[in-house]
Structures are given as C-alpha cells and as structure tokens.
Amino acid sequence: MTTKTLTSHQEPHLERQLSNRHIQLIAIGGAIGTGLFMGSGKTISAAGPSVIFVYMIIGFMLFFVMRAMGELLLSNLNYKSFSDFAADLLGPWAGFFTGWTYWFCWVITGIADVIAIAGYSKELWPDVPLWIPGLATIAILLLLNLTTVKAFGETEFWFALVKIIAIAALIIVGLFMIFSGFQSEAGPASFTNLWSHGGFFPNEFMGFVAGFQIAVFAFVGIELVGTTAAEAKDPETNLPKAINSIPIRVLLFYVGALIILMSVTPWTQFQAGHSPFIAMFSLAGLGAAATVVNLVVLSSAMSSANSGIYSTSRMVYGLAQEGDAPSVFGALSRRKVPQNALFLSCVLLLSGVVLMYAGKDIGKAFDMVTTVSAVCFVFVWSIILASYLKFRSRRPHLHDGSKYKMPGGIPMVWVVFAFFAFVLWALTTQPDTFLALLITPIWFIVLGAAWFVLRKRPSHLARYAQFQEDLAREKVAADEKAAAAEEQGLAEAKAAGES
C-alpha cells in the first residue's frame, strides 16, 4: 500500500512500509529518551523523590498533546506530519516555523547524541580517538536510512527493545534486592528510602521545580510517531494504538524505574553526571554492570540519533514539497527515501565531531543547547495544540465524525498551555537554563527574517496553493470512498435483513 505525497504529480512517493510493531517500538523509543539513562542522576539530585511526580505530570500533559496530534493526523491521511496540518489550519507561516523548528531541535539533539556516543565509547575503549566513534555512528545510520524506511523501522525496533530489556532488568533486579533485604554502605534497600530522607519533597517547592527543567528534555521525541504518519501501514489502527499506550510506558519505564532506583539507594547518593543505572547494577554485585549499562546507554544515544536523522530528513522533505525549503530536498531516491535531505542531516551532525574538540566547557555548552532544544520542542507541541483549536472551530464536522477524539477537548488544551507556561517559568529559576531561554528567540528571529523573504515569492505562493488543492482533492476523494463503503454496508445489511 502506498500513499501519495501532497504534490501527487511527483514520482516516486513515500511508501507505507512501517508495520504495527515498528510504530509501537518507535513510539516506545520516543517515550524513553536518553535523559532517563544519562540525565536521571541530575534530575534526582535536584528534586529528590518528588521527581516521580515530575515525570508523571509531564507524561500526563504530553499525552493530551499526542491525542490532539492523533486526531488531526487521522482527520486527513494525506498529512505527512504535524507541520502539514499546522500549515493547513494555521496558515503557511505555521508550517514553515514548525517544520524548521522541529528540524533545528533534532539537529541539536543529534549533535549532543554524537558527542555522548563518543564519550561512552571512550569509557569502553579508552584508547580510541573521539572522532572515530562519532564518524562511524553517522556513517552507519546514514547507510541504514538510505536503504528503505523499513530498515529504519527495524533498526529503531531493536534499539527500543534494548532499552526496554535494560529497564525491565533494572526493575527485576531492584525488586529482588528490596525484598531480599539487600544491604549497602548507604543502608538497606527498602521502599522506605523514598520518604525517610527528608520526605518526598526534601528540597521543597523550588527543588521540585528544578526537576522540570531537566525532565522535559527526557521526553523530546515522544511526538516522533507523528512524523511516521505518511509511512505507516494502516495508520487508522496503528497510530491510536501507539499513542494510547503512552501513559502505561511513562508509568512503567520512568516512574517504575525511578521508584526502584531510589528504593535501592537513597536519593541523596545520586549525582549529576553519573548514571544511576550503572550504580545500582554495581551494587548488585554484577561485575560487568558498567560495561553492560554503557552499551545500553550507547544504544540509547544511537537510537536517538537514528530518530533524529529520520525525522529531520522527513521534515525537510515535507518543507520542500510545500516550497519552504529548496526543491532539491524534495527528491526521493529509487528506494523511495529522501536521500538529499538525509545527506543534509548527516553533514550537520558532523559538527558534533568538531565540537568534541572545542574545549573543557563542552558539558556546560551542551546543557545550554539541550535546554534550547527543550524550549523549541515546547513551541512545536504548542503549535500542535493551536492547530487543534483551529481544527475545532473551522472543521467541527470532522471532529464530530472522528473516531479518535482528544479527551478533554478544548478545556484540556488550555490546561496544557498553562503547564507549558509553568515550564518556561521554571527555566528562568536557574542561571544556565535562563541564559538558554534568552538565547532561544534568536532562532525565531532568523526564521522570521527568512519567512519575510520567502512568503512573497511567486514560486512559494504557487506551491502552497497546490498543497491546499491537493489536500482538498484527496480529502473529498477519501470522504466519497468512505460514504460509498458505508452505503454498501447499509445495503448489505438491508439485504441480509430481507432474506
């Protein structure tokens, strides 16, 4: 089964090769960010046991963003991603800003991942030069993504599986340590460690707030399932399944893992920059724990970089289709992947290899850029919600006929907007994140200047008009097909009743 792109006269076109298991595992991989493995030590040390509530609240709020995205994508199966429905519902500026901002977010995240991969490779193989694992990672992921979209799906399937197995192992080993009365230098492993070291909010309200600054970045990529819409088999079944399971994933993979970690070892023992996963397996007496968990973290960073290459290439491809990026990036290879957009993403990831030699303060620099990335992701999530509000006002008949309505509707959108405002305020409470928040508007100023030049070009206006015409035409055709199927079903039911 294939799907036409929005400019249907162009060939070849994207293919629906991602099966249910691919979509499910891509969604899980997106929900389990590298922040859980690499950043949870810093989050726990800042918020204490209240970090459990931090992850629950963020996961709860983002679930509604994903439900809004799901309803919009399924309202017209010719949307390739959320930048398409943003352009259609809010105007061409929204597609331009959303697409390029999402691309920017993943480029930054991908650069951070390349550096993380090099760093963890150094721990496993101390003599290896940093540039070798960085270049090798980019080359491997480029080759995998250049074959077919199914190859990307398979790669992400196994990366996500590694993360799931690692977290399941941590929970099983941790429960055994708790119920067997395991003793360490920090004291006995017990669920009482959650509240016996200053309570659930040991650093009071501002410590709780500090947890949001770091934890939001752990959830970036949760919307990745939305960029697979044009290449998913049976999206009307598979996308809802993937989105609906987000709360269970958050409870199991984030909340469950953090409860076990802080029960085995009091939260006061956790430090920023140290993986709590390695610490717990080491406590359990597993000699190979450091190596095993380093490999897991390595695969997690590879998974994130793989997702980044995929999503940035598809977003640039969509932007090129709408006239918001050079047309060269709208070309597909014979294998029906956007190879030029893939090359662009990988060339930009090479800057991560350069930055590894930039100096001693690279850690602080990347704390800053990941905060910038988190702020930009909040912008993208907000555009999804704004598109939903416009959808409800402009196309109420499509909402009424939807089989996958967002729970809570319009009031819940405003609750999530209030939460995003709280997150932005939280970023002002620490000097490093506040500086990153002040820097972020530079990106939007650059985008605004580019849009001011681009929006009046005849070629852009013509391509956007074609984009809208194709959407409308394909939607009418889909509605007619659905109406004919319903009519046929009623006729068959009537015939069966008469017989």
Side-chain angles (χ1 to χ4, degrees):
M1 178 180 177
T2 61
T3 181
K4 294 181 181 180
T5 65
L6 298 179
T7 48
S8 55
H9 60 280
Q10 290 188 336
E11 294 289 344
H13 44 72
L14 294 175
E15 282 198 329
R16 295 193 184 277
Q17 296 183 4
L18 296 177
S19 65
N20 178 47
R21 69 184 179 90
H22 293 140
I23 297 297
Q24 293 294 326
L25 270 292
I26 287 168
I28 291 174
I32 310 171
T34 52
L36 179 62
F37 295 101
M38 300 162 70
S40 51
K42 185 176 180 180
T43 317
I44 293 169
S45 64
S50 67
V51 73
I52 294 168
F53 303 114
V54 169
Y55 280 97
M56 288 177 71
I57 291 168
I58 297 173
F60 176 77
M61 294 297 177
L62 290 182
F63 171 67
F64 291 98
V65 177
M66 296 303 99
R67 283 298 300 260
M69 180 184 73
E71 181 175 343
L72 290 171
L73 286 172
L74 295 178
S75 72
N76 188 338
L77 293 179
N78 295 287
Y79 290 140
K80 292 191 302 298
S81 70
F82 40 83
S83 71
D84 280 349
F85 64 63
D88 183 35
L89 294 164
L90 299 177
W93 70 268
F96 180 83
F97 274 76
T98 305
W100 280 115
T101 299
Y102 192 67
W103 172 85
F104 177 66
C105 290
W106 271 110
V107 166
I108 290 177
T109 305
I111 290 170
D113 289 329
V114 168
I115 292 179
I117 288 164
Y120 279 96
S121 299
K122 190 77 173 174
E123 291 190 27
L124 291 168
W125 303 284
D127 296 329
V128 69
L130 287 174
W131 63 269
I132 291 179
L135 282 180
T137 298
I138 296 168
I140 290 168
L141 295 181
L142 175 61
L143 289 173
L144 287 171
N145 279 272
L146 277 174
T147 52
T148 62
V149 67
K150 190 174 181 180
F152 159 77
E154 286 294 334
T155 307
E156 198 56 29
F157 175 88
W158 291 106
F159 277 148
L161 205 57
V162 168
K163 289 191 269 192
I164 292 168
I165 291 170
I167 295 172
L170 176 126
I171 291 173
I172 292 168
V173 170
L175 285 172
F176 176 79
M177 294 168 76
I178 291 166
F179 289 113
S180 64
F182 177 82
Q183 291 276 347
S184 69
E185 293 180 1
S190 168
F191 287 117
T192 59
N193 284 329
L194 292 171
W195 56 83
S196 60
H197 296 270
F200 273 101
F201 295 86
N203 293 330
E204 300 180 340
F205 178 70
M206 292 312 294
F208 178 65
V209 168
F212 284 91
Q213 303 165 6
I214 309 153
V216 166
F217 185 71
F219 282 86
V220 301
I222 199 170
E223 73 302 310
L224 182 64
V225 69
T227 64
T228 67
E231 295 170 287
K233 294 177 180 177
D234 192 13
E236 291 174 308
T237 300
N238 293 333
L239 290 180
K241 277 184 182 178
I243 292 170
N244 287 343
S245 55
I246 286 173
I248 298 170
R249 292 182 198 123
V250 170
L251 285 173
L252 177 63
F253 298 125
Y254 281 104
V255 177
L258 291 170
I259 287 174
I260 294 298
L261 286 169
M262 290 184 288
S263 297
V264 171
T265 307
W267 72 270
T268 52
Q269 303 297 310
F270 293 92
Q271 298 177 5
H274 296 275
S275 171
F277 281 72
I278 294 175
M280 203 201 81
F281 281 119
S282 297
L283 275 178
L286 301 175
T291 301
V292 171
V293 178
N294 268 318
L295 286 170
V296 170
V297 174
L298 196 64
S299 72
S300 180
M302 285 277 283
S303 169
S304 180
N306 191 40
S307 298
I309 288 173
Y310 173 85
S311 57
T312 53
S313 64
R314 267 54 179 186
M315 198 58 72
V316 171
Y317 170 77
L319 288 164
Q321 292 290 316
E322 294 159 30
D324 290 336
S327 58
V328 67
F329 298 122
L332 293 175
S333 69
R334 285 181 298 174
R335 296 180 181 271
K336 298 169 187 175
V337 296
Q339 62 179 16
N340 293 338
L342 281 168
F343 284 126
L344 173 67
S345 299
C346 290
V347 166
L348 291 169
L349 289 187
L350 288 173
S351 60
V353 178
V354 176
L355 285 172
M356 282 187 286
Y357 297 93
K360 297 179 180 178
D361 294 330
I362 195 68
K364 289 184 178 179
F366 270 85
D367 281 343
M368 183 179 293
V369 296
T370 51
T371 301
V372 171
S373 181
V375 172
C376 290
F377 271 106
V378 168
F379 169 80
V380 171
W381 297 333
S382 298
I383 287 288
I384 292 172
L385 294 178
S387 299
Y388 176 80
L389 290 177
K390 183 62 72 173
F391 170 75
R392 289 291 301 269
S393 65
R394 283 179 56 188
R395 297 170 188 170
H397 61 288
L398 290 180
H399 169 72
D400 293 338
S402 174
K403 297 178 181 178
Y404 192 61
K405 292 183 176 71
M406 173 190 168
I410 293 173
M412 198 62 217
V413 169
W414 292 107
V415 171
V416 180
F417 274 141
F419 171 71
F420 288 159
F422 163 77
V423 169
L424 294 179
W425 169 77
L427 294 174
T428 68
T429 61
Q430 298 294 324
D432 53 346
T433 55
F434 181 57
L435 180 59
L437 191 63
L438 292 177
I439 290 172
T440 306
I442 295 173
W443 167 251
F444 292 101
I445 291 170
V446 171
L447 270 188
W451 174 245
F452 183 78
V453 173
L454 181 68
R455 67 190 177 95
K456 295 181 180 179
R457 287 186 176 177
S459 59
H460 175 267
L461 295 172
R463 293 178 91 171
Y464 182 70
Q466 183 67 45
F467 162 74
Q468 289 189 305
E469 286 174 16
D470 287 342
L471 274 181
R473 185 172 58 251
E474 296 288 353
K475 182 59 184 169
V476 168
D479 288 344
E480 288 175 352
K481 185 178 178 181
E486 186 177 352
E487 212 172 288
Q488 184 180 353
L490 289 172
E492 288 174 355
K494 185 178 179 182
E498 290 174 353
S499 63

